[in-house]
Amino acid sequence: MTKFQRFLLKRLAISVLLTLIAVSVIFVVLRLLPGSPFETLVTSGNLNQEQIDEIRAMYGLDQSIWGQYVNYLWSLLSFQFGYSILRSQPVWEVLEPRLINSLILLVPALVTTAILSSLLGMYAGWNRGSRLEKFSIVSTTLLRSTPVFITAIFFIIVFAYNLEIVPSLGMRSIRATPDGYLETFLSLDFLHHYLLPFTVAVLYYSGDFLLLARNGVIEKRGSEFLKLHRAKGLSEMQQLARAGRNSMLPILTYFTLRLGMIFQGLILLEVVFSWPGIGRELVLAIQQQDYPLVQAAVFIMALAVILANLAADVLYAYFDPTVSTNGGGSA
């Protein structure tokens, strides 16, 4: 077994352990919450105690904590997440369309800002001290430090209520009845609703990529390899292209990590825009203590983060020879 294969196995084992810890914490926290998913039904008088007991048995909530925990782990391993308590649907049927809605909004926003902000950051770093550099740093830092729901509300007030250019909420008009994903996502009605949350998401992510790219180019600008290229007669833009290419590794690593955390970062964005994504669904499920739905949604989010971290670790070790697969920098 090669050194890299041992490194890969070690990281896989750590990822499995982290996943187990994350899903166990969620299981315990949900059981520590006051009340129960059926409290509303009991207090409203819609069901008697015998019916409540039957429903609890159906969901396995009448078993011991250990029994529930074993069933819970098995459901995650088999990707059979059970039934949503309050929606009376299989959990995956509830989560699948919302997961796709979140990915349709957030992945293009992340890719767009990674490309545009990195290019702008490289150009700003190459022209250090320019007005462009100062303006880009101040504006993106302001956007990044402002809570995303504040920016979202500001955009809604300006562009939806005052200028009336775009709708303020939702993913499509109330009267729209699209059939299937293609008809939903490839329509002017969807694009009309998409522009505002997409723009806010792009602006929110822009600061991190811009600063990473700028700092990378500044660091590379005085390096020996660029002096050599300059001596060969390369133009300024050709030198910038080479400096940018050599500063891409931290940006790629950050992109991978951010991709894994994409759901957690913008849950509030989905709530403010009433975007029917997995983040908004998770908030509603927590409020209603829908255990199967919360557990499955958090499992998907935790798995995305852990897999992204694993991918970032492996990519860094594979592409950067100065990083030791023993866990530290090489001598």
Side-chain angles (χ1 to χ4, degrees):
M1 185 178 291
T2 65
K3 197 173 182 180
F4 184 77
Q5 286 172 331
R6 286 199 299 275
F7 163 81
L8 189 58
L9 279 179
K10 184 179 174 183
R11 287 294 185 274
L12 280 172
I14 292 173
S15 298
V16 171
L17 180 62
L18 289 176
T19 306
L20 181 62
I21 292 172
V23 298
S24 300
V25 168
I26 292 303
F27 177 85
V28 172
V29 168
L30 281 175
R31 267 64 184 177
L32 290 176
L33 287 175
S36 78
F38 309 105
E39 193 166 329
T40 306
L41 296 173
V42 174
T43 53
S44 64
N46 290 332
L47 296 175
N48 58 39
Q49 190 56 48
E50 187 179 347
Q51 291 170 317
I52 296 291
D53 291 340
E54 286 179 10
I55 296 175
R56 284 177 58 83
M58 188 170 67
Y59 284 98
L61 296 176
D62 60 335
Q63 298 180 18
S64 67
I65 288 295
W66 283 110
Q68 292 181 42
Y69 182 65
V70 170
N71 290 337
Y72 165 58
L73 291 183
W74 175 247
S75 70
L76 297 183
L77 284 173
S78 59
F79 283 84
Q80 300 295 323
F81 300 121
Y83 276 75
S84 165
I85 293 175
L86 294 173
R87 292 186 183 276
S88 300
Q89 279 183 277
V91 167
W92 183 243
E93 285 185 12
V94 177
L95 286 183
E96 183 190 10
R98 285 151 181 91
L99 182 62
I100 292 172
N101 293 342
S102 289
L103 292 175
I104 285 289
L105 171 63
L106 300 177
V107 172
L110 184 61
V111 172
T112 302
T113 196
I115 295 172
L116 296 182
S117 299
S118 298
L119 291 175
L120 180 61
M122 289 174 190
Y123 189 78
W126 192 259
N127 296 283
R128 196 175 185 192
S130 64
R131 288 182 180 177
L132 174 68
E133 186 202 20
K134 292 173 184 171
F135 174 75
S136 60
I137 290 176
V138 170
S139 57
T140 55
T141 303
L142 179 65
L143 286 166
R144 189 67 177 90
S145 57
T146 303
V148 69
F149 66 90
I150 296 290
T151 309
I153 291 171
F154 175 76
F155 272 64
I156 288 173
I157 291 171
V158 173
F159 294 101
Y161 291 136
N162 290 335
L163 299 178
E164 298 183 357
I165 299 173
V166 288
S168 58
L169 303 172
M171 199 176 76
R172 56 183 179 238
S173 302
I174 297 175
R175 285 175 290 184
T177 54
D179 185 17
Y181 289 124
L182 280 181
E183 201 171 310
T184 299
F185 298 134
L186 297 179
S187 67
L188 286 176
D189 178 55
F190 172 77
L191 181 63
H192 203 204
H193 287 76
Y194 185 73
L195 284 175
L196 209 52
F198 173 79
T199 304
V200 174
V202 167
L203 292 175
Y204 181 72
Y205 286 131
S206 60
D208 299 341
F209 288 101
L210 184 135
L211 291 176
L212 272 175
R214 168 189 168 272
N215 295 342
V217 166
I218 288 174
E219 186 183 330
K220 295 289 184 302
R221 190 168 187 187
S223 62
E224 292 299 324
F225 87 94
L226 271 190
K227 289 178 183 174
L228 179 62
H229 285 308
R230 197 174 299 120
K232 287 180 179 176
L234 265 64
S235 67
E236 285 282 312
M237 291 307 293
Q238 288 173 321
Q239 291 176 48
L240 171 57
R242 281 164 174 73
R245 189 178 61 190
N246 282 279
S247 59
M248 284 298 293
L249 192 54
I251 298 172
L252 286 174
T253 306
Y254 182 74
F255 177 82
T256 311
L257 293 173
R258 179 52 68 183
L259 191 63
M261 295 186 287
I262 199 166
F263 302 116
Q264 294 95 322
L266 293 178
I267 287 176
L268 288 176
L269 187 73
E270 292 186 355
V271 173
V272 172
F273 283 106
S274 293
W275 190 266
I278 192 171
R280 182 166 169 263
E281 188 63 30
L282 176 62
V283 173
L284 295 174
I286 291 173
Q287 289 174 342
Q288 298 166 343
Q289 289 184 263
D290 192 341
Y291 292 163
L293 199 56
V294 175
Q295 289 168 169
V298 173
F299 170 67
I300 291 170
M301 292 180 173
L303 195 60
V305 173
I306 290 166
L307 289 178
N309 274 282
L310 175 65
D313 257 0
V314 173
L315 281 175
Y316 220 108
Y318 186 79
F319 286 110
D320 189 348
T322 63
V323 175
S324 165
T325 50
N326 288 323
S330 61

